[in-house]
Amino acid sequence: MGKKLTRQMLSLPGPVLMAAGFVVAIAIVCWNGHLSGSKWAAILIAILAIAWGLGMAIAAGRERRQWRREKQALETSLAEFRDRLELEKQELEHNLKDHIDKYQTLRQENQTLHQINARKDEFLRQTSHELRTPMNGIICSLQLLLDELCDDREEELELLQQAHQSSIHLLGLINQVLDLAKIESGKVSVELKSIDLHASLTAALYLQFANFRQKNLELHRKDFVRGIKVQADPIKLKQIFINLIGNAIKFTDRGSITIVTEIRQMVTPRGEANTPMAVVTIKDTGIGIDPNHKDKLFEAFQVEDESNINPYGSTGLGLVISKHLIEMMGGSIHLMSPGRNQGTTVELVLPLAETDEFHEVGDN
């Protein structure tokens, strides 16, 4: 009871305590009236001093508690403010990173567009040049014939033969340009079905027999006994074989061309490891290429060395078209050469057929 009363008293304001002390002092003086004036005055002053000191101490304690509460509230506010700033900082950093990533992406896309435009300009320049060359040959040969500048019938036949060969070359070039344009615009589709690999190869070789005989080249075929079924478009696969075998003959003046077929465990273009794939290897003993320049041969109108290639009438489109078509059929093409005058090897990789069901890939 006493402690509770003491707490209640101490909770009173300082001036109230002083007034209470003053009243208590007067009461004590009145009760002890027999005290002398000096004694009760001293007692009164002492009581007042004690009451005032007690009141000031209690007021100071309250102020300290209030200050601590305000300090704690301020620290809490500062902590919340720091947390909010940290969250805003993280959000800003995240937004900044997103903007930087978008900027880098746009920059790369811009560079890619510039490269595409440059390649298109170069493609148009090369196309104009390649089309102009056989056309000039035709015009010059016919102009000589029209002007009757030939000395004899043999020279006339020679000019006609040149015009005819230039016409065939021009037609083949136009067809290749159109094929490449269709492929790059996504307008070419492949009809995949199970076909006999060796039958397709034999059909392509049959069309090249005259060129083999004309250049007196030897043809070696290995592992053609075992039947291999592949998943491919029969027409487009035959076109690829004609392009690749034709290139081998074109760039080989003497020696041989060897064609090997096999089934090999490989990584597919989709990254599937240890998958059995059909591999066709076409190896010639021709002029070969510089290994540092082999990659650009898969770009339109690109040749390894124009001083060597021009006499063979290369357009640089056969490999490009073949690469596009074989990749549409789920395969790949690889070109290798030890170096100049050491021959060239081309490997064609095709998926094996699982069923004879027909399905179409590509856009119409």
Side-chain angles (χ1 to χ4, degrees):
M1 183 69 182
K3 291 182 179 180
K4 183 176 181 182
L5 181 60
T6 302
R7 285 196 298 271
Q8 291 177 350
M9 291 179 62
L10 291 177
S11 63
L12 296 174
V16 175
L17 289 173
M18 292 176 63
F22 181 74
V23 172
V24 171
I26 293 175
I28 293 173
V29 171
C30 292
W31 183 63
N32 296 298
H34 59 281
L35 293 176
S36 62
S38 60
K39 289 182 178 180
W40 68 260
I43 293 172
L44 178 61
I45 292 173
I47 292 173
L48 289 174
I50 293 171
W52 180 81
L54 183 60
M56 292 298 294
I58 293 172
R62 289 176 179 173
E63 290 179 358
R64 283 196 298 271
R65 287 194 296 272
Q66 180 65 25
W67 178 80
R68 282 196 295 269
R69 286 194 295 269
E70 292 176 355
K71 178 184 177 184
Q72 185 176 4
L74 182 60
E75 288 177 348
T76 302
S77 299
L78 287 175
E80 292 176 352
F81 183 67
R82 282 195 299 268
D83 293 340
R84 188 164 60 251
L85 284 180
E86 184 64 25
L87 290 175
E88 291 177 356
K89 176 185 175 184
Q90 292 176 0
E91 185 177 356
L92 288 174
E93 289 177 347
H94 179 71
N95 292 335
L96 179 61
K97 184 178 181 301
D98 286 343
H99 286 304
I100 292 175
D101 293 341
K102 290 179 181 178
Y103 170 76
Q104 294 294 342
T105 301
L106 291 175
R107 184 178 179 182
Q108 292 176 359
E109 291 177 353
N110 189 41
Q111 291 177 348
T112 301
L113 289 175
H114 280 300
Q115 292 173 358
I116 291 174
N117 287 332
R119 285 200 296 268
K120 286 183 177 179
D121 292 341
E122 180 64 16
F123 179 82
L124 292 174
R125 186 187 70 80
Q126 290 283 4
T127 302
S128 301
H129 171 74
E130 293 292 338
L131 292 173
R132 191 183 299 115
T133 300
M135 183 61 71
N136 287 336
I138 296 171
I139 293 173
C140 290
S141 297
L142 295 178
Q143 189 64 50
L144 290 173
L145 289 171
L146 290 173
D147 294 340
E148 297 182 353
L149 297 177
C150 301
D151 296 333
D152 49 34
R153 180 60 178 170
E154 183 179 352
E155 188 173 352
E156 290 179 354
L157 291 175
E158 183 179 350
L159 289 174
L160 287 172
Q161 182 67 24
Q162 289 177 1
H164 180 257
Q165 291 177 351
S166 297
S167 301
I168 294 176
H169 177 66
L170 180 61
L171 178 61
L173 177 59
I174 292 173
N175 288 334
Q176 287 183 331
V177 171
L178 292 175
D179 288 343
L180 183 61
K182 290 179 181 178
I183 290 172
E184 292 188 341
S185 64
K187 295 181 179 180
V188 172
S189 62
V190 293
E191 299 174 351
L192 301 180
K193 59 177 70 174
S194 175
I195 62 173
D196 188 290
L197 177 64
H198 295 150
S200 181
L201 262 174
T202 301
L205 285 169
Y206 178 78
L207 297 175
Q208 299 285 357
F209 276 152
N211 295 327
F212 273 104
R213 291 196 209 95
Q214 184 179 2
K215 301 190 76 169
N216 198 27
L217 297 174
E218 296 180 5
L219 173 62
H220 303 293
R221 292 185 290 180
K222 297 183 179 180
D223 300 330
F224 269 47
V225 178
R226 178 184 178 186
I228 299 177
K229 294 285 188 178
V230 295
Q231 190 84 359
D233 184 307
I235 297 176
K236 303 236 175 6
L237 182 59
K238 181 181 176 182
Q239 178 184 353
I240 292 171
F241 284 144
I242 292 174
N243 285 341
L244 298 181
I245 296 172
N247 279 345
I249 296 173
K250 184 183 299 182
F251 300 123
T252 305
D253 289 330
R254 58 182 177 274
S256 64
I257 294 175
T258 302
I259 302 178
V260 181
T261 59
E262 60 181 322
I263 296 178
R264 192 187 302 169
Q265 297 289 331
M266 303 186 68
V267 177
T268 67
R270 293 180 297 181
E272 300 169 350
N274 298 323
T275 302
M277 304 282 285
V279 181
V280 179
T281 304
I282 302 173
K283 183 177 182 180
D284 63 59
T285 58
I287 62 174
I289 60 172
D290 186 338
N292 297 325
H293 297 162
K294 68 176 184 178
D295 291 335
K296 75 174 186 177
L297 296 181
F298 290 101
E299 299 176 9
F301 290 112
Q302 294 298 316
V303 293
E304 195 265 340
D305 188 340
E306 291 188 357
S307 63
N308 279 339
I309 300 303
N310 279 342
Y312 298 92
S314 173
T315 63
L317 291 177
L319 281 176
V320 181
I321 294 173
S322 297
K323 181 176 184 293
H324 280 290
L325 292 177
I326 199 65
E327 288 177 352
M328 290 178 68
M329 291 186 279
S332 60
I333 186 171
H334 311 278
L335 187 146
M336 298 154 285
S337 177
R340 281 298 190 81
N341 301 318
Q342 299 184 53
T344 303
T345 299
V346 177
E347 280 191 354
L348 197 67
V349 181
L350 288 163
L352 294 174
E354 296 180 358
T355 66
D356 292 334
E357 295 180 358
F358 165 86
H359 62 283
E360 182 174 319
V361 176
D363 299 325
N364 290 324

